[in-house]
Amino acid sequence: MSKQSKKPSFLGGAAILAAAVAIVKVIGAVYKIPFGNIVGSQGQTYFNVAYNIYNVLLTISTAGLPLAISKLTSQAHAQGRENQKRKIFRTAIWLFFVLGLAGSALMYFGAAQLAELIHEPLGFWPIRALAPAVFCVCLLACMRGYTQGQGNMTPTAISQVLEALCKVCIGLPLAWYLLKMGMGLDIGAAGAIFGVTVGTMLSMLFLIVYLVTHRDRTPSLDTPESSGAIMRQVLAIGVPITLSNSAMSIITLVDTSNVLGRLQTIPELADSAATLFGQYQFGMNLINLPPSFVFPVTMSLIPFAAAAITRKDAVEADRIVSSAFRIVAVLAIPAGVGLSVLGGSALLMLYPAQYTDALAAGPHMRWLGIACIFICLMNLTNAILQTYGKEHLPIITVIIGGITKIILNYVLVGNPAINIHGAPISTLCCYAVIVVLNLAFVWKYSLKKPHYLQLFAKPVLASVLMGGAAWAVHGLTLRVLTGGEYAYGANALATIIGIGAGVVVYAILVIALQILRAEDLRSIPHGEKLAALLHLK
């Protein structure tokens, strides 16, 4: 009886957390559009310099250790060891306090040195504005791990959404106000990024109040382990996961330094390096949107695969993994093709206040749109490999992809004839290498080998036809409205009509080619109703 009662609670909690993660990712991706209009390409570069440093410190401090706390707390909670559970939290909070304090001190007092290391001295104030967030997020991570370990996902979900909303509601107005007051772009970027800091502070205060008001005072007679023993367990579980998740953040930071540094070696481009890198980031902001929508699908499908693998049910595991591939392919491939075809026009529509930067970023989208497909597939294949118990393999593939990116950036970006146009090419090659390696490992360790040609052939064909239709309709509409010349309203209308035409063509092809099956939708919310609506068998 107890087990049955716990299961719905667990699934409900997982659904709450998945929904919160999806909301946070969408808010974070959409945030970049008004932000780009406010600060432009240079401001984006200053923001990203600080945020990439923050991401590395954040990943090192919080990537694996909260999961370790969650796991240990969950074990103690299941055994009814209340004293052990409280001792885990008291021990862990001091570890995170020290890590957070060290990270914040490094960013605040070492801001000038870090900015120089990334080859962008004007990143100084954004780095300092973000420094307190490291401390707050470390404590947040510990508290979230503790509540999640008890099966309570709601506090984490609320705090994550609160954090994301503050970034938008405080950071954007502050950046706009500072620039209106005549401050420099670096100060404007610092204002925008200070919204992140405020969000982490308010989220931390919310969780503190929640833990105090919901403190469990249940008496228990269990004897907790020593702080040293608990600390060793936390580190043994958390450090390998931290190493896995830190790889991409570190590579991204090195890549930022690499691109800016190589641009500055070209005499005629040295003064415009920040602008060129910011224009590249305009494209990156757009391709990060589709993975935000694909992520919840991956989260909802993978646990079912894990259960089938545990039962050694090869047929069911293959069905679920194949369904995950088909759903992600149906979402990611047309999104990537669409961004490659109409991404430049979409940037002009989304960034009217930064027309020059958006126009310059347009050519990057041809490469980045295809890279978006591989980013989505990387997220899915990483999750599948982790489900198979091969957590170390994504570390290896990400490092190989990252090294590929750095080498290509050094060669291509450093070439005056190519310069910043080499960055999207290296990004595409990086994720393509990761996905190819991941697909090989998924095939190797699957109980039943997936048929990649069958999984991807129809979505690729439908997406190519969709891309051609969208491109033709957009071009024809723009020519009718303006004779082919640029006008914001005409471009926006032509882009929307082109996207709409592409969506209609693709939906017809999905049904006509029977790309999806009813069984592919069973594991997602309202999947049966969606299958019936689409007449899938």
Side-chain angles (χ1 to χ4, degrees):
M1 179 68 182
S2 60
K3 288 183 180 180
Q4 289 176 344
S5 63
K6 286 180 181 179
K7 186 175 180 181
S9 174
F10 168 76
L11 293 175
I16 291 170
L17 194 57
V21 169
I23 292 169
V24 168
K25 282 181 173 287
V26 172
I27 291 174
V30 173
Y31 161 81
K32 293 293 183 72
I33 295 172
F35 171 69
N37 278 297
I38 293 170
V39 303
S41 56
Q42 281 185 270
Q44 287 222 54
T45 296
Y46 306 145
F47 181 98
N48 285 317
V49 164
Y51 207 82
N52 288 339
I53 294 170
Y54 168 75
N55 257 342
V56 171
L57 295 175
L58 196 64
T59 306
I60 292 172
S61 303
T62 66
L65 298 178
L67 292 175
I69 294 166
S70 179
K71 181 177 181 179
L72 294 175
T73 302
S74 178
Q75 291 173 347
H77 185 66
Q79 295 167 355
R81 301 182 62 193
E82 297 300 321
N83 292 331
Q84 171 74 358
K85 190 170 67 176
R86 294 163 190 153
K87 184 69 173 288
I88 290 169
F89 180 73
R90 289 197 303 269
T91 302
I93 198 71
W94 284 109
L95 173 61
F96 280 87
F97 183 90
V98 172
L99 286 172
L101 200 61
S104 289
L106 176 61
M107 282 192 74
Y108 187 85
F109 295 108
Q113 292 78 8
L114 290 170
E116 288 289 346
L117 183 65
I118 306 299
H119 302 289
E120 189 43 76
L122 289 177
F124 173 82
W125 284 113
I127 292 172
R128 276 208 161 173
L130 197 53
V134 179
F135 175 75
C136 296
V137 170
C138 280
L139 296 184
L140 270 172
C142 183
M143 291 185 281
R144 286 169 177 169
Y146 179 66
T147 55
Q148 289 174 38
Q150 299 176 75
N152 187 0
M153 309 297 177
T154 303
T156 293
I158 294 173
S159 66
Q160 287 177 336
V161 173
L162 179 63
E163 189 177 337
L165 288 174
C166 285
K167 182 167 68 172
V168 175
C169 299
I170 296 175
L172 290 179
L174 185 57
W176 175 83
Y177 176 76
L178 290 172
L179 291 178
K180 188 179 180 181
M181 293 294 292
M183 301 291 185
L185 286 171
D186 57 328
I187 304 300
I193 214 164
F194 188 67
V196 178
T197 297
V198 173
T200 60
M201 290 178 176
L202 291 179
S203 295
M204 181 183 71
L205 290 175
F206 163 76
L207 276 179
I208 290 173
V209 171
Y210 181 89
L211 288 176
V212 170
T213 55
H214 292 77
R215 187 175 179 181
D216 187 359
R217 303 179 186 276
T218 305
S220 180
L221 299 176
D222 67 293
T223 302
E225 298 176 22
S226 67
S227 297
I230 291 172
M231 190 71 72
R232 285 192 293 272
Q233 292 178 61
V234 169
L235 295 175
I237 298 170
V239 169
I241 300 173
T242 298
L243 292 175
S244 171
N245 293 339
S246 297
M248 203 66 211
S249 297
I250 294 171
I251 288 169
T252 300
L253 181 61
V254 173
D255 178 60
T256 301
S257 175
N258 189 11
V259 172
L260 287 170
R262 293 300 286 162
L263 287 173
Q264 290 169 6
T265 62
I266 305 173
E268 61 270 27
L269 298 179
D271 293 336
S272 58
T275 299
L276 292 171
F277 185 74
Q279 290 167 352
Y280 164 65
Q281 289 298 315
F282 270 99
M284 289 299 296
N285 293 341
L286 205 55
I287 71 162
N288 285 330
L289 273 171
S292 300
F293 293 98
V294 169
F295 181 78
V297 176
T298 303
M299 283 191 69
S300 65
L301 286 171
I302 294 305
F304 293 92
I309 291 168
T310 301
R311 299 192 304 269
K312 298 190 182 299
D313 187 342
V315 174
E316 180 66 5
D318 173 69
R319 184 194 71 77
I320 295 169
V321 169
S322 295
S323 293
F325 271 120
R326 268 192 294 270
I327 291 174
V328 170
V330 164
L331 294 173
I333 296 176
V337 171
L339 287 172
S340 182
V341 172
L342 295 182
S345 299
L347 287 174
L348 292 171
M349 179 179 68
L350 294 171
Y351 296 101
Q354 304 293 338
Y355 171 72
T356 302
D357 290 331
L359 184 65
H364 299 324
M365 294 305 301
R366 296 167 194 161
W367 300 97
L368 292 177
I370 305 304
C372 175
I373 299 171
F374 289 103
I375 293 172
C376 294
L377 289 174
M378 179 192 71
N379 291 336
L380 174 62
T381 51
N382 280 349
I384 292 172
L385 288 172
Q386 290 166 359
T387 302
Y388 288 170
K390 306 297 179 182
E391 296 89 351
H392 64 288
L393 291 178
I395 306 176
I396 297 171
T397 60
V398 164
I399 290 174
I400 293 173
I403 292 171
T404 302
K405 191 177 197 306
I406 290 169
I407 292 172
L408 286 176
N409 271 340
Y410 189 86
V411 174
L412 297 177
V413 177
N415 185 331
I418 301 175
N419 58 78
I420 192 61
H421 296 286
I425 297 173
S426 67
T427 296
L428 170 58
C429 292
C430 165
Y431 290 111
V433 166
I434 294 171
V435 169
V436 169
L437 292 172
N438 279 1
L439 288 173
F441 285 126
V442 168
W443 190 89
K444 179 179 180 180
Y445 292 107
S446 293
L447 297 174
K448 188 176 180 182
K449 307 306 181 188
H451 301 286
Y452 292 135
L453 184 60
Q454 294 178 10
L455 292 172
F456 294 118
K458 288 182 180 180
V460 168
L461 175 62
S463 297
V464 170
L465 294 174
M466 175 218 70
W471 174 80
V473 170
H474 170 268
L476 179 62
T477 305
L478 191 61
R479 184 167 294 279
V480 169
L481 293 175
T482 66
E485 298 177 0
Y486 174 79
Y488 176 76
N491 174 72
L493 182 59
T495 301
I496 293 170
I497 292 174
I499 293 171
V503 169
V504 171
V505 169
Y506 188 71
I508 293 171
L509 289 171
V510 167
I511 297 172
L513 297 176
Q514 295 184 327
I515 295 175
L516 278 179
R517 304 172 185 174
E519 64 182 23
D520 296 335
L521 304 176
R522 288 175 187 163
S523 300
I524 63 176
H526 308 294
E528 293 287 356
K529 293 180 181 178
L530 182 59
L533 181 65
L534 297 175
H535 304 290
L536 298 179
K537 296 180 179 180

